[in-house]
Amino acid sequence: EAQVTQNPRYLITVTGKKLTVTCSQNMNHEYMSWYRQDPGLGLRQIYYSMNVEVTDKGDVPEGYKVSRKEKRNFPLILESPSPNQTSLYFCASSLGRDRAKNIQYFGAGTRLSVL
Amino acid sequence: QKEVEQNSGPLSVPEGAIASLNCTYSDRGSQSFFWYRQYSGKSPELIMSIYSNGDKEDGRFTAQLNKASQYVSLLIRDSQPSDSATYLCAVRNYGQNFVFGPGTRLSVLP
């Protein structure tokens, strides 16, 4: 089954404790993105990647890191989480740049609470 | 800051009516436009994509794009209770930079 898989689905942590949220897709998609969703603000793009070893900042990159060492994986790293990073996070992937290919498919989401 | 705006709603329509959802965007260079549906606690799922001015129809859904007015809309005909969800408008500006609106919550009343 074609899918984007995020883990964990739920995470409660404390301020300053490094964490990684994993994202994997099995569709051989070139492009992958991370978003956070907060009430009233919609989805905001954190980082995106257009290929292996190619990443770029979205609209809210502060406090986050990403890496793209393999095509299928795009982990989101919070080196020192803070309470304002409490949010619902989504990973998404799309096949490519062309119109027919840039439709994004989303993972199930990771709900993160930073105490 | 590139922005995408939507009325937050809730928009309430009776079953069988037409629901009209609107979206405006600030960047004239925007290239691609999408409507996603998101049920509570679930991930967004694509309903429609539109790239050129005019209308695009898919079943009960019609997307309309007017680049001169920087306006995108989604019409849902014969609305069903199962259409009750939050509808997200998204715009692709460059590369893979996507900007989403805050969403409009639609409630279809039986």
Side-chain angles (χ1 to χ4, degrees):
Chain A
E1 180 189 354
Q3 57 186 5
V4 179
T5 304
Q6 294 178 230
N7 280 299
R9 292 289 315 280
Y10 304 91
L11 180 58
I12 300 174
T13 189
V14 295
T15 299
K17 185 177 182 181
K18 180 179 178 180
L19 66 91
T20 299
V21 184
T22 63
C23 175
S24 179
Q25 50 90 8
N26 63 359
M27 297 172 279
N28 201 34
H29 283 177
E30 278 190 32
Y31 295 163
M32 298 185 74
S33 292
W34 274 104
Y35 295 88
R36 60 178 290 174
Q37 187 172 33
D38 302 289
L41 296 177
L43 283 156
R44 292 180 292 168
Q45 194 173 39
I46 302 170
Y47 270 96
Y48 60 93
S49 170
M50 291 191 281
N51 212 330
V52 174
E53 303 291 3
V54 180
T55 62
D56 212 340
K57 295 178 180 178
D59 294 322
V60 288
E62 294 78 19
Y64 304 94
K65 286 176 58 178
V66 293
S67 68
R68 186 93 182 270
K69 292 184 169 56
E70 304 167 283
K71 194 173 187 178
R72 63 181 292 130
N73 295 322
F74 191 43
L76 179 68
I77 303 157
L78 284 71
E79 295 270 3
S80 183
S82 62
N84 65 11
Q85 293 178 298
T86 293
S87 188
L88 177 60
Y89 291 86
F90 287 103
C91 180
S93 72
S94 58
L95 184 58
R97 183 193 296 270
D98 296 339
R99 285 180 172 184
K101 298 178 180 178
N102 67 11
I103 294 167
Q104 294 187 95
Y105 298 89
F106 285 82
T110 296
R111 189 166 291 281
L112 171 65
S113 293
V114 182
L115 306 178
Chain B
Q1 178 80 10
K2 301 179 180 67
E3 293 183 346
V4 176
E5 297 185 350
Q6 301 177 250
N7 290 326
S8 61
L11 172 66
S12 296
V13 301
E15 184 174 356
I18 295 175
S20 178
L21 305 163
N22 304 315
C23 170
T24 58
Y25 59 95
S26 63
D27 185 1
R28 285 194 173 276
S30 299
Q31 302 172 10
S32 308
F33 308 86
F34 307 87
W35 283 99
Y36 284 84
R37 176 177 61 199
Q38 186 176 27
Y39 292 112
S40 181
K42 301 295 185 182
S43 56
E45 54 179 338
L46 182 74
I47 298 176
M48 297 279 287
S49 59
I50 187 166
Y51 307 101
S52 305
N53 280 330
D55 295 358
K56 179 181 178 181
E57 186 174 320
D58 184 0
R60 296 187 295 114
F61 300 96
T62 299
Q64 299 173 318
L65 173 61
N66 183 327
K67 290 186 177 180
S69 301
Q70 296 174 241
Y71 176 88
V72 193
S73 67
L74 180 70
L75 299 177
I76 307 175
R77 290 181 298 280
D78 188 23
S79 295
Q80 301 297 308
S82 59
D83 294 326
S84 297
T86 296
Y87 289 80
L88 305 172
C89 175
V91 174
R92 185 173 77 92
N93 294 314
Y94 58 87
Q96 281 296 97
N97 176 245
F98 286 84
V99 180
F100 282 75
T104 298
R105 191 154 53 92
L106 172 67
S107 178
V108 180
L109 307 173

